[in-house]
C-alpha cells in the first residue's frame, strides 16, 4: 500500500481551514459575555446557554477532527476540492448563529421560537454536510487526488457519516415539535457517539 | 519551464494573509447574532442579512482562492510585495462593514441609506482591487520575484480581473440608483462567475 | 538520549491550538471597548477591567507557553491526545467569560455577584486543568507517543502543576468569600510565579 | 557571513504571533459596524472612525512587518524571548481599545475625553515598544540566539526605533493638549514614514 507524497498547496488549505474552525470555536464564547454584573441566580438561569455552547463547541470540534482525517488523505487540492471545502467552512462559520438562537429561545422564547432555532441548527448542519458529502463523492471518483488506495474506503465511510448527519438533522426538526430541548440533547448525543468512535479508532488508524 | 524555489519568508506572508482572510470570513456571522429570542417571522424577515452574508462570504472566499494562486507564484516577498499585500488585506478586513450596512439598510433603511450601503461595498471592493492591481503590475515588471516564467502571463490575466472588478464596482453603484437589491445580486453573480471559471481551471492548472 | 522524529499530524494540532489560544488572547480586548466617549474619570474607574484583562491575558499566555513545551514533546497525536487537547482548548476558549464577569462585578456588582464571578473563573481554570492532567497521565502511560525518554519526567512535573492549579482554583473560591479582589490578585500572582519559573528554565532546557 | 540554521520552536512563535496580529487587524472593523441603517450623512460624519481605523490598521501592519524582520533573525526562542514576545503581543492586542476611544471621543466627546483617548493610544504604543526594546537589548547581549553576526546591527537599529517610538508617544500626548486630531495625524505620519523606510530597504535587504 504505497503512499503518494502530498503537494505543497495542501498545507495552505489545511492551515486556512484550521484558522476558520479555530475562530468559530472561539467566537462561541461571545454568547456568554454578560451585559453587566450577574447574580448567582442569573448565572444559574443561563443553563441553556451553557448547554448550547458545549453542544456547538463539540460539534465544531468533531468537524475539525474529521476534517483533519479527511485532509490528511488528500494529496492535491484541485479547484473543485477548494470550492467544496469552502462550502464546508461556510456552514461551519454559521455555527455561532443557531447557538445564539437556541440559547435565547430556551431562555425567553416561546415554543415557535424554540422550534425555529432548532430548525436553523439543522439547516447549518445540512450546510456543513452537503458540500462535505459532495467532496467525499468527488474524491472517491478521482482517486489520483488521494494519497493511497486505502483512502477510498475511508471516504466511502465518511460519505455515509455525512448522509447520516443530514438524516439526523431532519429527525432533530421533527423531534423539536415534541421537545426543542430533547432536540438539542440529541445533537449532544450524536457528537458524543462521534467522539467515542474516534477514540476507538486509536488502534486501527496508527498513521494519523 | 524551470521552477525556482520559494524563499522562507513567503510562508509567513501566506499564513498571515490566510489568518486575516479566515477571520474576516468568520466575523461575518456577527451580523447574524440575534438580540433575543426570534420568532419564525422575524427569522424570515431577515433574508437581506442572509443574502448579504452569502455574497460577502463568497466574495472573501474568491479573494482567498485568487490570493492562494497568486502567492504560490511568488518566490520572494520584498518589502513592496509585503506592503501591497497589506493593502489588499486592509480592504478585505473591511468587508464586514458594508455587509452590515447593506443588511441594515435593506431591512429598515430608506433608499438613500441603501444606495450609500452599496456605495461602501463598492469602495471596499476598490480598496481590495487597487493594491492587488498594483501588486500584479509590480510583479510583471519584477520577474525575478516569480517562481517561473509562465507566472507572468497569469499575473497579466489577474491584472485584467482586478481592473474588471473596479469597473464592476462602478457599475454596481450606478445600478444601485435603480435598485440596490439588484446591485447586491450583481455582486453575487460576479462571484458565481469567478467560481465557475476557477472550477474550469481544474484541468488547465494541474500544479496548483 | 535519542530523539524520535515527530509525525506530520502534530503540525496541524499545534497550529490549530495556537490559533485558538491566539484568538482567545485577542478577544479579551472586547471587554475594554467603550459604549461612547469616555471621560478621564470613567477610564480610571475601569481599573477592575484592566486588572482582569492583564490577569486573563497572562493566564492564557502561560497556557500557551506550557502548551508549546508539552506539544514539542509529543511525536504523534493519536485520537485520545486530540480529544483531550480539544478539552484543554474548550476551557481556554471560555476565558473571556469569567474575565467579563469579574470586571462587571467589581465595577457595579454586589458581593454575591463578585464571588460568583470568581467561582466561574475557578471553574474555567479547572476545565483547562482537568483534561490537561488527563493528557499528562495518558502520555506518561504511553511513552511511544513521546519524542524522548526524558519527556516522561517533564510530563510528571507538569501533571503536578495541573493538580496544583486545581487546588489553587479551590483556594481562590474560599478566598473570594473574604475578598473577591484578593482572589483575582492570587491568580495574577500564580501566573507571575509560573512566568518566573519559566524564565529560570532558560538555562536548563536548551532544546525548546 | 555564515548563517546558523533556525530551530523548530521558532516556527510556532512566528505563527502564534502572526495569528495574534492578524486577529487584531481584523477586529478593528468591529468599531465600524453600525447599529442600524445609516444615512449618507451619518456615514460622512463617521470620518473620525475611518481615520482611527486606518491609523490603527497601519500601526499594527508596521508592527507585523517589523516583527517579521526581527523574528527571521532569531534562530532560537529561549523562555526570555518567548515572554518578551508575549509582552509585545499584549500591547498589540490592546490596539482596538484606543482606536474605539479615539473614534468615540472625536465624534461625541469633549476635549478631556479626546485627550484621554490619545493618552491611552500613547500608553498602548509604549506597552508595545518597551518589551520590544527589552527584546532587542536582550538579543544584542545574547548573540548565540541570532542567525548571523549581521543581525546584531539590525537589532541595534531596531532598538533605536523602539526608543524613538516611546519618545513619539510622549510628544503625541503633549500635542493632544493643543489638538487631539493633530496627535492622531502625527501617528498616521510616523507610520507612513516607517512604510516608506521599509520600502526603501527593498534593495539593501535582499534575503528577507
Amino acid at each position: 500500500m504505497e503512499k503518494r507524497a502530498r503537494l505543497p498547496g495542501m498545507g495552505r488549505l489545511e492551515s486556512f481551514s484550521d484558522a476558520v474552525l479555530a475562530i468559530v470555536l472561539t467566537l462561541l464564547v461571545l454568547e456568554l459575555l454578560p451585559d453587566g454584573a450577574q447574580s448567582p441566580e442569573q448565572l444559574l438561569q443561563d443553563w441553556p446557554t451553557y448547554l448550547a455552547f458545549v453542544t456547538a463547541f463539540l460539534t465544531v470540534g468533531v468537524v475539525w477532527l474529521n476534517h483533519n482525517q479527511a485532509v490528511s488523505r488528500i494529496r492535491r487540492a484541485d479547484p473543485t476540492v477548494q470550492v467544496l471545502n469552502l462550502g464546508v467552512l461556510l456552514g461551519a462559520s454559521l455555527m455561532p448563529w443557531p447557538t445564539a438562537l437556541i440559547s435565547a429561545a430556551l431562555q425567553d422564547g416561546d415554543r415557535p421560537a424554540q422550534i425555529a432555532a432548532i430548525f436553523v441548527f439543522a439547516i447549518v448542519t445540512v450546510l456543513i454536510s452537503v458540500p462535505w458529502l459532495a467532496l467525499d463523492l468527488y474524491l472517491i471518483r478521482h482517486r489520483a487526488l488521494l494519497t493511497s488506495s486505502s483512502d477510498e474506503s475511508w471516504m466511502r465511510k465518511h460519505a455515509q457519516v455525512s448522509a447520516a448527519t443530514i438524516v439526523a438533522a431532519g429527525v432533530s426538526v421533527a423531534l423539536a415539535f415534541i421537545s426543542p430541548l430533547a432536540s438539542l440533547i440529541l445533537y449532544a448525543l450524536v457528537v458524543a457517539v462521534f467522539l467515542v468512535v474516534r477514540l476507538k479508532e486509536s488502534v486501527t488508524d496508527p498513521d494519523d
Side-chain angles (χ1 to χ4, degrees), chain A:
Chain A
M1 204 157 71
E2 45 157 359
K3 279 243 172 193
R4 286 181 291 255
R6 297 171 79 210
L7 298 184
M10 285 309 299
R12 197 163 176 196
L13 185 92
E14 257 181 20
S15 67
F16 182 70
S17 306
D18 274 356
V20 168
L21 296 175
I23 301 158
V24 174
L25 276 185
T26 329
L27 287 183
L28 293 172
V29 81
L30 294 183
E31 196 53 30
L32 291 167
L33 299 187
D35 283 331
Q38 302 285 306
S39 69
E41 292 73 31
Q42 285 173 308
L43 284 171
L44 287 174
Q45 280 166 7
D46 255 0
W47 65 265
T49 306
Y50 312 148
L51 182 59
F53 173 87
V54 170
T55 308
F57 192 99
L58 293 181
T59 303
V60 180
V62 165
V63 168
W64 181 72
L65 289 172
N66 282 330
H67 198 268
N68 216 325
Q69 282 212 301
V71 171
S72 71
R73 288 156 206 283
I74 306 176
R75 61 181 278 279
R76 189 161 76 73
D78 74 4
T80 305
V81 171
Q82 288 184 329
V83 171
L84 290 175
N85 185 59
L86 212 54
V88 173
L89 296 180
L90 188 152
S93 80
L94 282 167
M95 193 54 86
W97 179 40
T99 308
L101 285 174
I102 288 174
S103 123
L106 284 180
Q107 276 184 88
D108 48 60
D110 53 9
R111 182 54 67 104
Q114 294 176 359
I115 295 173
I118 292 289
F119 187 72
V120 173
F121 203 129
I123 287 181
V124 168
T125 309
V126 169
L127 283 176
I128 297 172
S129 299
V130 165
W132 207 332
L133 182 56
L135 183 57
D136 292 332
L137 298 176
Y138 180 79
L139 289 167
I140 290 168
R141 288 204 325 235
H142 295 80
R143 302 177 195 182
L145 299 176
L146 297 172
T147 52
S148 88
S149 53
S150 71
D151 297 332
E152 200 189 316
S153 68
W154 191 91
M155 291 294 159
R156 275 189 207 286
K157 205 179 67 183
H158 191 271
Q160 289 166 5
V161 170
S162 297
T165 307
I166 295 169
V167 173
V171 171
S172 81
V173 172
L175 184 57
F177 282 90
I178 305 169
S179 162
L181 182 59
S183 257
L184 182 57
I185 292 170
L186 174 71
Y187 276 104
L189 282 179
V190 169
V191 168
V193 169
F194 262 124
L195 284 178
V196 170
V197 169
R198 186 78 187 86
L199 285 174
K200 290 220 171 142
E201 275 172 358
S202 247
V203 191
T204 56
D205 175 31
D207 60 8
D208 175 43

Short mmCIF file of all heavy atoms in Angstrom, two decimals, chain A residues 4 6 9-10 20 23 26 41 44 64 66 76 82 99 101 104 107 110 112 118 122 125 128 130 170 183 205:
data_model
loop_
_atom_site.label_atom_id
_atom_site.label_comp_id
_atom_site.label_asym_id
_atom_site.label_seq_id
_atom_site.Cartn_x
_atom_site.Cartn_y
_atom_site.Cartn_z
N ARG A 4 1.49 8.24 -1.81
CA ARG A 4 2.00 9.28 -2.71
C ARG A 4 2.22 10.55 -1.91
O ARG A 4 1.44 10.87 -1.01
CB ARG A 4 0.99 9.54 -3.82
CG ARG A 4 0.94 8.45 -4.87
CD ARG A 4 -0.06 8.78 -5.95
NE ARG A 4 -1.42 8.72 -5.41
CZ ARG A 4 -2.28 7.73 -5.65
NH1 ARG A 4 -1.92 6.74 -6.42
NH2 ARG A 4 -3.48 7.75 -5.13
N ARG A 6 2.24 14.34 -0.68
CA ARG A 6 1.27 15.41 -0.82
C ARG A 6 1.92 16.65 -1.43
O ARG A 6 3.09 16.90 -1.22
CB ARG A 6 0.69 15.76 0.56
CG ARG A 6 -0.05 14.58 1.14
CD ARG A 6 -0.42 14.86 2.55
NE ARG A 6 -1.58 15.71 2.63
CZ ARG A 6 -1.81 16.58 3.61
NH1 ARG A 6 -0.94 16.73 4.58
NH2 ARG A 6 -2.90 17.30 3.63
N GLY A 9 0.38 22.86 -2.04
CA GLY A 9 -0.86 23.61 -1.87
C GLY A 9 -1.72 23.12 -0.71
O GLY A 9 -2.48 23.88 -0.12
N MET A 10 -1.57 21.82 -0.36
CA MET A 10 -2.38 21.25 0.71
C MET A 10 -2.16 21.94 2.05
O MET A 10 -3.09 22.11 2.83
CB MET A 10 -2.06 19.76 0.86
CG MET A 10 -2.63 18.89 -0.22
SD MET A 10 -4.39 19.19 -0.46
CE MET A 10 -5.04 18.75 1.15
N VAL A 20 -10.21 28.98 10.22
CA VAL A 20 -11.66 29.23 10.25
C VAL A 20 -12.31 28.46 11.39
O VAL A 20 -13.06 29.02 12.20
CB VAL A 20 -12.31 28.85 8.90
CG1 VAL A 20 -13.83 28.83 9.01
CG2 VAL A 20 -11.88 29.82 7.81
N ILE A 23 -11.45 29.90 14.82
CA ILE A 23 -12.14 31.15 15.12
C ILE A 23 -13.61 30.87 15.48
O ILE A 23 -14.15 31.48 16.40
CB ILE A 23 -12.04 32.12 13.92
CG1 ILE A 23 -10.58 32.41 13.63
CG2 ILE A 23 -12.77 33.43 14.22
CD1 ILE A 23 -10.32 32.88 12.23
N THR A 26 -13.90 29.76 18.94
CA THR A 26 -13.58 30.78 19.94
C THR A 26 -14.64 31.88 19.97
O THR A 26 -14.84 32.52 21.00
CB THR A 26 -12.19 31.37 19.64
OG1 THR A 26 -11.38 30.37 19.04
CG2 THR A 26 -11.53 31.85 20.91
N GLU A 41 -28.00 33.76 40.81
CA GLU A 41 -29.25 33.24 40.26
C GLU A 41 -29.26 33.42 38.74
O GLU A 41 -29.65 32.51 37.99
CB GLU A 41 -30.46 33.96 40.87
CG GLU A 41 -30.67 33.67 42.34
CD GLU A 41 -29.63 34.36 43.23
OE1 GLU A 41 -29.16 35.45 42.84
OE2 GLU A 41 -29.27 33.80 44.28
N LEU A 44 -27.12 30.87 37.07
CA LEU A 44 -27.73 29.53 37.03
C LEU A 44 -28.84 29.46 35.99
O LEU A 44 -29.00 28.44 35.31
CB LEU A 44 -28.27 29.15 38.41
CG LEU A 44 -27.20 28.82 39.45
CD1 LEU A 44 -27.84 28.59 40.82
CD2 LEU A 44 -26.40 27.59 39.03
N TRP A 64 -13.64 19.48 13.12
CA TRP A 64 -12.19 19.63 12.99
C TRP A 64 -11.50 18.27 12.95
O TRP A 64 -10.64 18.01 12.10
CB TRP A 64 -11.61 20.48 14.13
CG TRP A 64 -10.12 20.64 13.99
CD1 TRP A 64 -9.46 21.40 13.07
CD2 TRP A 64 -9.11 19.98 14.75
NE1 TRP A 64 -8.10 21.27 13.22
CE2 TRP A 64 -7.85 20.40 14.24
CE3 TRP A 64 -9.14 19.08 15.82
CZ2 TRP A 64 -6.65 19.95 14.77
CZ3 TRP A 64 -7.93 18.63 16.34
CH2 TRP A 64 -6.70 19.05 15.82
N ASN A 66 -12.69 15.36 12.03
CA ASN A 66 -12.96 14.69 10.77
C ASN A 66 -12.24 15.37 9.61
O ASN A 66 -11.72 14.71 8.71
CB ASN A 66 -14.48 14.68 10.48
CG ASN A 66 -15.18 13.62 11.30
OD1 ASN A 66 -14.61 12.59 11.63
ND2 ASN A 66 -16.43 13.89 11.64
N ARG A 76 -3.67 16.41 -3.26
CA ARG A 76 -3.67 17.58 -4.13
C ARG A 76 -5.05 18.23 -4.07
O ARG A 76 -6.06 17.54 -4.19
CB ARG A 76 -3.37 17.17 -5.57
CG ARG A 76 -3.14 18.37 -6.48
CD ARG A 76 -2.42 17.96 -7.73
NE ARG A 76 -3.31 17.28 -8.67
CZ ARG A 76 -4.25 17.89 -9.37
NH1 ARG A 76 -4.45 19.19 -9.25
NH2 ARG A 76 -5.02 17.22 -10.20
N GLN A 82 -11.07 22.73 -3.48
CA GLN A 82 -11.01 24.01 -2.77
C GLN A 82 -12.40 24.63 -2.59
O GLN A 82 -12.74 25.13 -1.52
CB GLN A 82 -10.11 24.98 -3.52
CG GLN A 82 -8.63 24.62 -3.42
CD GLN A 82 -7.75 25.65 -4.10
OE1 GLN A 82 -8.15 26.27 -5.09
NE2 GLN A 82 -6.55 25.85 -3.59
N THR A 99 -26.49 28.68 17.62
CA THR A 99 -26.15 28.57 19.05
C THR A 99 -26.77 29.72 19.82
O THR A 99 -27.38 29.53 20.88
CB THR A 99 -24.62 28.57 19.22
OG1 THR A 99 -24.06 27.58 18.36
CG2 THR A 99 -24.22 28.28 20.65
N LEU A 101 -29.31 31.57 18.77
CA LEU A 101 -30.77 31.48 18.66
C LEU A 101 -31.34 30.49 19.68
O LEU A 101 -32.33 30.78 20.36
CB LEU A 101 -31.17 31.03 17.25
CG LEU A 101 -31.06 32.07 16.13
CD1 LEU A 101 -31.35 31.40 14.79
CD2 LEU A 101 -32.02 33.23 16.37
N ALA A 104 -31.08 31.88 23.27
CA ALA A 104 -32.07 32.93 23.52
C ALA A 104 -33.48 32.34 23.60
O ALA A 104 -34.28 32.70 24.46
CB ALA A 104 -32.00 34.00 22.43
N GLN A 107 -34.29 30.48 26.77
CA GLN A 107 -34.38 31.33 27.94
C GLN A 107 -35.65 32.18 27.96
O GLN A 107 -36.35 32.24 28.94
CB GLN A 107 -33.15 32.23 28.03
CG GLN A 107 -31.98 31.53 28.69
CD GLN A 107 -30.81 32.46 28.86
OE1 GLN A 107 -30.68 33.15 29.84
NE2 GLN A 107 -29.95 32.47 27.86
N ASP A 110 -40.87 31.70 23.03
CA ASP A 110 -41.98 30.77 23.10
C ASP A 110 -41.65 29.52 22.27
O ASP A 110 -40.58 29.42 21.66
CB ASP A 110 -43.28 31.43 22.63
CG ASP A 110 -43.12 32.05 21.25
OD1 ASP A 110 -42.08 31.82 20.59
OD2 ASP A 110 -44.03 32.78 20.83
N PRO A 112 -42.76 28.36 19.28
CA PRO A 112 -42.37 28.55 17.86
C PRO A 112 -40.94 29.06 17.71
O PRO A 112 -40.22 28.64 16.80
CB PRO A 112 -43.39 29.58 17.35
CG PRO A 112 -44.56 29.45 18.25
CD PRO A 112 -44.03 29.07 19.60
N ILE A 118 -34.05 25.44 16.54
CA ILE A 118 -33.56 24.08 16.23
C ILE A 118 -33.54 23.88 14.71
O ILE A 118 -32.62 23.25 14.17
CB ILE A 118 -34.46 23.02 16.90
CG1 ILE A 118 -34.31 23.06 18.42
CG2 ILE A 118 -34.16 21.63 16.36
CD1 ILE A 118 -33.00 22.54 18.95
N ALA A 122 -30.44 22.77 12.39
CA ALA A 122 -30.49 21.66 11.42
C ALA A 122 -30.03 22.13 10.04
O ALA A 122 -29.28 21.42 9.35
CB ALA A 122 -31.92 21.11 11.35
N THR A 125 -26.30 22.41 10.03
CA THR A 125 -25.73 21.06 9.96
C THR A 125 -25.76 20.53 8.52
O THR A 125 -24.80 19.94 8.03
CB THR A 125 -26.51 20.09 10.88
OG1 THR A 125 -26.60 20.68 12.18
CG2 THR A 125 -25.83 18.76 10.99
N ILE A 128 -23.18 22.17 6.35
CA ILE A 128 -21.84 21.59 6.51
C ILE A 128 -21.78 20.24 5.80
O ILE A 128 -20.80 19.92 5.12
CB ILE A 128 -21.50 21.39 8.01
CG1 ILE A 128 -21.44 22.74 8.75
CG2 ILE A 128 -20.17 20.65 8.19
CD1 ILE A 128 -21.30 22.62 10.26
N VAL A 130 -23.73 18.73 3.32
CA VAL A 130 -23.95 18.54 1.88
C VAL A 130 -22.66 18.77 1.07
O VAL A 130 -22.28 17.91 0.27
CB VAL A 130 -25.12 19.41 1.37
CG1 VAL A 130 -25.12 19.50 -0.14
CG2 VAL A 130 -26.44 18.84 1.87
N GLY A 170 -32.81 16.12 10.00
CA GLY A 170 -34.25 16.04 9.78
C GLY A 170 -34.98 15.51 11.00
O GLY A 170 -36.01 16.07 11.42
N SER A 183 -34.26 17.89 21.32
CA SER A 183 -33.55 18.01 20.04
C SER A 183 -32.10 18.41 20.27
O SER A 183 -31.18 17.86 19.66
CB SER A 183 -34.21 19.08 19.18
OG SER A 183 -34.98 18.50 18.18
N ASP A 205 -6.02 3.08 13.33
CA ASP A 205 -5.52 4.09 12.40
C ASP A 205 -4.21 4.68 12.94
O ASP A 205 -4.15 5.82 13.37
CB ASP A 205 -6.57 5.20 12.26
CG ASP A 205 -6.05 6.33 11.40
OD1 ASP A 205 -5.24 6.06 10.50
OD2 ASP A 205 -6.45 7.48 11.64
#
